[in-house]
Structures are given as C-alpha cells and as structure tokens.
C-alpha cells in the first residue's frame, strides 16, 4: 500500500514506557508527515500510485490532515500556556541509556533486575542490542545478555549474539565470547561466519594465534561455511606473529578448496610477507596475482611502496609509484606520504619536498601524517625556511601533527639557524592549533632570546609561562632546563625584578628543581634591592633542602642587613655562612663587629670576635682592643678576660698597660684590679707605672684592702711599686685600723730593697700597633 488508511491509525501509535520515549518528536503535527501525501513526493513508491481511487482517498487524507492540524494548534496553544521550567531538558532520556545508568550505579542484584523488568514490559531486539552496545563496561553487557535470556524476557537471535561477541572481543573477554559462540547450537541458534571472524580476529589481536587457528578449524567441524572473508582474517592473524609458512599452507589450502583469492586477499599476503621480510615471496605472489587477472589497485601499490621503503629499497618503491601513475591509478595521500617517508629515511630531502609539491599540484591534500613525516627531515637537513612555510601552512589549515615532539625539534632548529622570529612563530602556531604548550617549549625560546640579549622578549615569555602556570601542569612531559631559566633569573635579579624571578623559581621548586645557581641569584637579587628578609627566606629553603650556597651570596646578604641597620640579623647570616662551610674574610667580620659595636651590642660583637679568632683571622686587632675595653668598662670582666685568654693562646698582640690606664682614668677600679690580677697570674709584662696607677685608683676609691691584696701579689711576683704609694697605703691601713696588714706590708717593703728594680714577667705580651 502506498498510503495508510485512517481506520488503522492505531498501528502508528508510539510505544511509551513509563514516561520514556524512543523519540522526543511525537506531537500530532510531526506525525502528519506519515499521512500527508505531499511528504512522499521523493518516495518512488508514491509516484507509482494507481490513479482510479486516488482522488477519493486523497480527499479523505486531506480532511484528516486539516482536522489533525487544527488539533495540533490547540495543543500548541496549551503548551505555550504550560511551558517547561527553565533548566529542564525537553527531550526525555532514552530507555537504553536509563538501563545502562542503572547498571553502572547499582550492584547487579535481584532488586536491580526487578527494577529493569518493571521499567520495560517487553524487550525487543533493538532495545537489547542498544543496551549491549551502550553498557558502561563489558561485564554489565554480559550480565544483561545472560539475564534477559534466563529470565525468559528475550530469545537471543543472530544480531544479539554477534553484538555480545563483538563487545567481549573488544574487552579481551575471549573465553566468555567463545563459550557463547559454541553454546549457540545447543540453544537452537544458527552459527554465522561473521561471529567466527570477529572472534578469530580478537584472539589474533591478543597474540593467541593457536586459538584463532582452532576456531578456524572448528568452523568446518560445525558446518559453518568458510569463505574468503574468514581466510583473510586468519591470514592477518598469522602474519602479525610472523608465521609466514603457516600462511602459505593455508593459502594453498584455500585454493585447493576452490575458494578464489581476491585482490584483498593478495593485498594481505603482500603486506604479511613484507612484514616478515620475505621479498622473493612478495614478488612471486605479486606475479601470481597478475597472472590470475587480478588488477592491482591503489592499496596494492601502496603496500608495495611501503614494503620496499621499509627495507630501504627506495628505488623499487619509486618503480611501483611510477607504474601506478602509468596505469592511471591516482596516488592517494597514503601513496605520497609513504614516498615522502621513504625519501626522508634515505636522506633525500629534496626529493621529499618535490613529492610534497607534486601531491599539492595534483590536488591531493596532505594530512597530519604527511606533515609529521616531512618536518623531521627538514630539521635534519636544516632547511628551516621550507620548514617555516610548511608550519604556517599547517596553522592555516589547522592540521595538528600526530606527534607533538616535532615542535621541540622545530624550535631548537630554528633557534640554531638564528631565526628567532620563526621559532616564536612555531610557538604561536601551537597555540592557534590548540596544541598544549609545555615549559620545555618556552624554555628553548627563553634560552635563545637571552643568548641574543633580547631580554624584553624573554621576559614576556616568562610572564606568559608564570601567568598560565604552564610549569605546574601535571601532564607536562617537557620540563624547563637550567640553561633556560638560570640566565633569565640572573637577568631579572640584576635588573630589579627579583620578585618576578622568585615567582618563576618557586614554580620550578614545586616541580622538584633544586638549582644552586638560581637560589644564589635570588639571594643576591633580594639583597641588592634592599629586601634581606626575602633573601633570608630563600636561604632557609636552601639549607632545608641541602642545596650548596655560595660565599658571595652570604656577603651580599650580610651587607644588605647592615645597610638596613639590622646588625643582629647580619650576625645570624654570618653564622649561617660559617655553618655552611664558608670562612668569611676579615672585611666581613669587621663590618659586622663595627655595626654591632656602634649599635652598642658589645657582647654580641664580642661573640663575633671570638668566632673570628677561632677561625684564625688575625686582622682587626684595633677593633678587638676597643671591644675588650668596652666589655671591661661595662662590667663584663669575665667575658673580656676569656677573650684575652683566647688571644694569648692564639699568639695575638694586646696592650695590657693601655687597658689598665683607661680603666683607671674612667674609675673602673674593680675591672682594673681583676685585669691586673689576671696579668700577674699569667706573668704578663706590666710596667710598674701601671701598678702605681691601679694602686692610686684603688686608694682614691677607698678600696684599701683591695690595694693591699694586689700589692702583695706584685711583691710575690718580684715587682715593687713606687715607695711613696706604698707608704700612703700603709698610712691609710693604720688609719682604718688594719694595723696587721700595715705591719706586714711595711716589713715586706723595708726588707725588699732589692725589689726596687722592675722585674719582667716570664711571658712576654707584645703591644698592639
């Protein structure tokens, strides 16, 4: 029937399952096309309608169309009044998608099976095939396949069996697929060659040739006819594993069975023998193909060209290419690309370019593989002008290469040729083609722009690199090398942009970079910019990570702290310098000690002085004397004496008499007393005038007993003070009631006339200049 009667309109009713539709377009207006004769003008059957009853039936159809159109308008008006809320899709979800989602989100239990059963009153072939095809994984598809059959919901046919075998084959669940296939006769299902072909190919892709061969043999046992299709599949499986002798046996068997090999069969055989590098067999099969009257096609020639190129016989490949054109077989993009690949591998880059131009002249459009093949050869031959033209052509056509590593070679070669603009164009082209750029790409450009002293362009590239956080991308495989970021960091740090350099370097740190040069550059940069705190933070990171530092970095940091008026921090940096194994020179020690001394941090300066002496630095003795003097004056006598002891053991010169004189003048009698006592105990050479000054100062301060005590020690060491000072001391002792001490002192002096001479100590202490 070329038309549909209105009395049977119920047969066109769309099937609805609990609100889920096969098609979202089910309004009466869209159904009108099934009834209106005007919609079938393109159908050949509509042009063959009989003419006798057509007028009456057309009238009936037109009346129904008018009535349906009026009802559709009413429905449209009602739909406008009740619009779908914003955010909700008008198209309902397909039933098979709902089932697949349920299987993916819930465990395969009886409850889930009942839910699916309630959702679908009746299963048909289309629904089952769609579920098998759209299931999230093969396990779900297999469970659904077995369940609908065991539950009596659907009797599987040839299409559903083929669908599940294909799905299991792709998922490498080959044993399940094999069991399903071989169980088909038990269920009364008819076996099909296509099913065996799918499974043979699946076993072959997994490298299990034996099972493929067993299945092929099983076809005959089960009465499944083997045609050239199954033989072709078996040949591909066998050749992938290099078993060319087995392939020859089965080819002969195919011919014996009366199956005529096709052009496709010969193409597979030629490809396989090339794969096994059996060139003589290739030539014999090629001649056999022609002797059977099978004309080689473009696939045949492409196979021959590719095979000879792979064994480095480019001349043979050229011969077949010329023969193909001579037989008016138009070479395809595969033909040209294979020839280009052969020329490139043979080092004939000019011939490859000629072939590339030829294919464009014949309106054969190069593809991504063509460009990917040609560009490495141009880079090897350093034909960078031609490479730039081809890259621009790729960008204009928006053709991305299959291997993105070619861009690294392009960038490197363009930079080596000195054409930095062309190298920058490569990066821009990558961005235009939406090819992900990596830190390594930027690194090549930054390195070479720095070498060319074009730092402005290099800084712009760094800005992009940092802003887009390209270094931090987890999928990145091309990292920025030290020779790229170190010159950039050094430039930024020496031109007042250390913060930008630090931002770049911190991103590198997160990728595991621990470059000593970069760390030290940042320390020097922050220090020169008057930000020693930032430099010290970088230094802490270095120490924590065990990165070796440089002495110059510490010197600059110390100087920065001192310029900022923070000598204590400078002292901490100095200590860190020593802990890192660097020995500061005398100038560094002097600047730190002077700053601490001026800041009236005498004890801290004393500790720095102690470190300096322990490290064997013999300069700055004038400053040492000033620090000792300040310690004694401030009452830190024990610390000063300890420093003098260290000086004595280190063999350094010190003027004790000068210190005693200053202390006496400033009225620091106790400090002078302890210093003189210290000198007498260690047999330092002290002038008798210094004795008199100390005694006079003690008497003037009313410390008579202290004067008596020190005078006794002087006498024991063989030295005698001025007689008048001794008489004054005796007089004072008597006046104070210390008659015993006065008597002892008087007898010591009167009986020791010989002690008037000044006796030098056993140890000589040199006077500092």
């Amino acid at each position: 029937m070329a038309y549909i009667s209105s009395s049977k309109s119920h047969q066109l009713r769309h099937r609805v399952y609990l609100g889920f539709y096969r098609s979202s377009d089910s309004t009466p207006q869209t159904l009108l096309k099934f009834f209106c004769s005007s919609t079938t003008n393109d159908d050949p059957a509509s042009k063959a309608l009989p003419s006798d009853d057509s007028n009456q039936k057309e009238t009936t159809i037109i009346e129904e169309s008018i009535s349906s159109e009026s009802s559709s308008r009413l429905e449209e008006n009602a739909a406008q009044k009740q619009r779908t809320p914003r955010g909700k899709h008008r198209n309902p979800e397909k039933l098979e998608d709902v089932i697949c989602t349920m299987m993916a989100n819930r465990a395969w239990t009886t409850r889930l099976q009942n839910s699916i059963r309630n959702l679908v009153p009746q299963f048909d072939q289309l629904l089952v095939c769609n579920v098998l095809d759209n299931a999230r994984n093969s396990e779900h598809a297999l469970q659904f396949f077995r369940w609908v059959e065991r539950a009596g919901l659907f009797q599987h046919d040839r299409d559903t069996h083929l669908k599940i075998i294909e799905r299991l084959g792709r998922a490498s669940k080959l044993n399940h697929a094999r069991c399903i296939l071989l169980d088909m006769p038990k269920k009364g299902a008819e076996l099909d060659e296509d099913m065996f072909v799918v499974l043979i190919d699946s076993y072959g892709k997994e490298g299990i040739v034996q099972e493929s061969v067993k299945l092929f043999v099983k076809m005959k046992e089960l009465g499944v006819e083997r045609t050239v299709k199954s033989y072709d599949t078996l040949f591909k499986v066998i050749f992938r594993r290099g078993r060319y002798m087995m392939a020859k046996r089965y080819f002969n068997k195919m011919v014996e069975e009366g199956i005529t090999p096709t052009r496709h069969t010969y193409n597979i055989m030629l490809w396989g023998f090339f794969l096994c590098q059996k060139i003589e067999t290739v030539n014999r099969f090629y001649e056999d193909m022609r002797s059977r009257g099978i004309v080689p096609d473009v696939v045949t020639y492409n196979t021959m060209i590719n095979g000879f190129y792979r064994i480095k016989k480019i001349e043979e490949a050229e011969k077949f290419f010329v023969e193909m054109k001579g037989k008016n077989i138009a070479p395809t993009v595969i033909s040209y690309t294979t020839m280009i690949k052969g020329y490139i591998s043979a080092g004939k880059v000019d011939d490859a370019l000629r072939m590339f131009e030829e294919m464009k002249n014949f309106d054969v459009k190069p593809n991504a593989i063509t460009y990917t093949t040609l560009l490495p050869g141009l880079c090897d031959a350093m034909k960078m002008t031609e490479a730039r033209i081809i890259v621009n052509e790729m960008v204009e056509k928006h053709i991305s290469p299959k291997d993105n590593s070619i861009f690294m070679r392009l960038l490197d070669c363009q930079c080596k040729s000195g054409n930095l603009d062309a190298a920058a164009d490569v990066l821009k082209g990558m961005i235009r083609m939406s090819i992900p750029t990596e830190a390594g790409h930027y690194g090549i450009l930054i390195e070479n722009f720095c070498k060319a002293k074009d730092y402005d362009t290099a800084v712009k590239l760094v800005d992009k690199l940092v802003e887009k956080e390209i270094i931090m991308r987890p999928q990145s495989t091309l990292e920025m090398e030290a020779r790229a970021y170190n010159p950039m960091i050094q430039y930024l740090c020496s031109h007042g942009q250390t913060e930008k350099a630090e931002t770049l370097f911190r991103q590198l740190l997160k990728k595991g970079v621990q470059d000593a040069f970069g760390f030290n550059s940042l320390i020097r940069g922050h220090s020169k910019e008057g930000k020693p705190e930032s430099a010290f933070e970088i230094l802490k990171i270095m120490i924590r990570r065990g990165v070796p530092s440089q002495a110059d970095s510490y010197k600059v940091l110390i100087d920065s702290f001192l310029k900022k008026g923070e000598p204590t921090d400078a002292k901490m940096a100095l200590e860190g310098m020593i802990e890192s194994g660097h020995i500061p020179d005398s100038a560094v020690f002097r600047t730190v000690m002077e700053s601490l001394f001026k800041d009236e941090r005498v004890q801290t300066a004393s500790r720095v002085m102690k470190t300096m002496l322990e490290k064997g630095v013999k300069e700055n003795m004038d400053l040492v004397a000033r620090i000792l003097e300040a310690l004694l004056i401030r009452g830190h006598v024990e610390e000063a004496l300890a420093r003098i002891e260290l000086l004595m053991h280190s063999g350094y010169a010190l003027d004790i008499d000068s210190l005693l004189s200053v202390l006496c003048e400033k009225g620091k009698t106790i400090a002078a007393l302890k210093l003189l006592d210290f000198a007498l105990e260690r047999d330092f050479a002290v002038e008798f005038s210094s004795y008199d000054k100390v005694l006079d100062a003690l008497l003037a301060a009313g410390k008579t007993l202290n004067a008596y005590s020190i005078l006794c020690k002087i006498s024991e060491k063989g030295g005698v003070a001025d007689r008048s000072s001794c008489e004054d001391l005796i007089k004072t002792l008597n006046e104070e009631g210390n008659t015993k001490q006065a008597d002892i002192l008087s007898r010591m002096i009167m009986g020791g006339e010989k002690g008037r001479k000044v006796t030098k100590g056993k140890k000589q202490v040199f006077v500092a200049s």
Side-chain angles (χ1 to χ4, degrees), residues 98 133 153 289 359 380 448 488 558 596-597 716 753:
V98 175
D133 199 34
L153 301 175
M289 172 184 178
M359 72 181 296
D380 291 338
N448 286 277
M488 194 72 259
I558 292 168
L596 291 168
F597 189 78
E716 288 177 2
E753 291 291 336

Side-chain angles (χ1 to χ4, degrees), residues 146-161:
R146 289 173 173 168
W147 171 68
V148 293
E149 186 174 41
R150 290 172 182 173
L153 301 175
F154 180 77
Q155 184 66 35
H156 289 300
D157 57 8
R158 184 255 184 197
D159 292 336
T160 54
H161 277 101

Side-chain angles (χ1 to χ4, degrees), residues 556-584:
V556 177
L557 177 60
I558 292 168
D559 185 61
S560 181
F561 274 124
L562 294 176
K563 287 180 179 178
K564 201 173 180 181
E566 297 177 355
T568 306
D569 293 331
K571 182 246 182 188
M572 290 177 61
L574 179 66
E575 291 174 348
M577 181 179 183
I578 296 171
E579 288 175 1
S580 298
H582 305 294
I583 299 178

Side-chain angles (χ1 to χ4, degrees), residues 692-720:
D692 291 337
K693 288 180 182 179
V694 173
L695 290 172
D696 292 341
L698 290 170
L699 290 173
K703 298 176 180 178
T704 312
L705 292 177
N706 288 334
Y708 165 76
S709 175
I710 194 65
L711 186 58
C712 290
K713 289 183 180 181
I714 292 172
S715 299
E716 288 177 2
K717 294 294 182 181
V720 178

Side-chain angles (χ1 to χ4, degrees), residues 393-652:
E393 184 179 319
M394 292 172 62
V395 174
E396 291 174 2
K397 296 179 179 179
H398 208 79
I399 299 176
S400 303
K402 297 296 182 182
D403 184 9
N404 292 339
S405 63
I406 183 60
F407 290 107
M408 283 292 289
R409 294 193 63 188
L410 285 168
L411 288 166
D412 186 49
C413 292
Q414 290 288 12
C415 290
K416 286 180 179 178
S417 67
N419 196 341
L420 298 182
D421 292 335
D425 288 342
V426 172
L427 186 65
K428 293 175 183 176
M430 292 179 65
I431 297 171
R432 285 184 59 186
M433 290 188 289
S434 301
I435 296 172
T437 53
E438 299 186 26
H441 299 131
Y442 282 87
I444 291 177
L445 290 174
I446 290 171
E447 176 190 354
N448 286 277
F449 276 115
C450 288
K451 288 180 180 178
K453 307 299 181 184
D454 189 358
Y455 291 105
D456 292 338
T457 306
V459 170
K460 291 178 182 178
L461 289 169
V462 169
D463 290 338
K464 292 181 181 178
L465 190 68
V466 172
E467 179 185 354
K468 297 179 180 179
E469 294 186 346
I470 296 174
I471 297 174
M472 303 301 298
R473 291 176 181 171
Q475 68 274 17
S476 180
T477 57
L478 302 173
E479 304 297 342
M480 196 174 181
E481 296 185 7
R483 65 172 183 265
Y485 58 75
N486 276 336
M488 194 72 259
I489 291 173
Q490 185 179 23
Y491 172 81
L492 292 172
C493 291
S494 60
H495 287 77
Q497 301 182 64
T498 307
E499 287 188 3
K500 183 181 292 186
E502 183 178 349
T503 304
L504 170 64
F505 195 71
R506 283 188 179 274
Q507 291 188 3
L508 292 168
L509 286 178
K510 292 178 181 178
K511 296 294 287 185
V513 172
Q514 299 192 46
D515 190 87
F517 184 87
F519 274 112
N520 287 287
S521 296
L522 289 175
I523 293 172
R524 288 193 291 268
H526 279 306
S527 300
K528 291 178 181 178
E529 292 175 19
K531 299 176 181 178
E533 294 82 5
S534 300
F536 200 64
E537 288 298 322
I538 298 296
L539 183 61
K540 288 179 181 177
I541 297 173
M542 283 186 72
I543 296 171
R544 190 164 58 246
R545 297 195 175 201
V547 179
S549 57
Q550 295 177 357
D552 291 340
S553 301
Y554 279 101
K555 291 180 182 179
V556 177
L557 177 60
I558 292 168
D559 185 61
S560 181
F561 274 124
L562 294 176
K563 287 180 179 178
K564 201 173 180 181
E566 297 177 355
T568 306
D569 293 331
K571 182 246 182 188
M572 290 177 61
L574 179 66
E575 291 174 348
M577 181 179 183
I578 296 171
E579 288 175 1
S580 298
H582 305 294
I583 299 178
D585 55 25
S586 60
V588 176
F589 277 114
R590 185 178 189 87
T591 54
V592 175
M593 288 191 297
E594 279 185 341
S595 298
L596 291 168
F597 189 78
K598 289 178 182 178
D599 201 37
E600 298 187 355
R601 300 176 184 271
V602 180
Q603 285 184 289
T604 308
S606 170
R607 287 191 285 272
V608 175
M609 179 187 74
K610 176 177 179 292
T611 304
M612 180 187 72
L613 296 174
E614 290 173 348
K615 295 299 178 183
V617 179
K618 297 185 178 182
E619 292 82 2
N620 306 321
M621 288 298 108
D622 57 331
L623 185 58
V624 168
R626 286 161 55 194
I627 293 172
L628 290 173
E629 179 183 317
L631 285 172
L632 292 167
I633 291 172
R634 289 170 182 263
H636 306 299
V637 181
E638 300 301 328
E639 185 176 348
L641 296 178
R643 301 292 180 262
I644 294 172
E645 182 80 19
L646 179 62
L647 281 166
M648 181 189 71
H649 286 296
S650 301
Y652 291 98

Side-chain angles (χ1 to χ4, degrees), residues 26 52 69 157 164 231 301 307 435 443 447 479 490 603 765:
S26 59
D52 47 1
E69 185 176 359
D157 57 8
I164 191 61
Y231 271 103
Y301 282 109
I435 296 172
E447 176 190 354
E479 304 297 342
Q490 185 179 23
Q603 285 184 289
V765 178

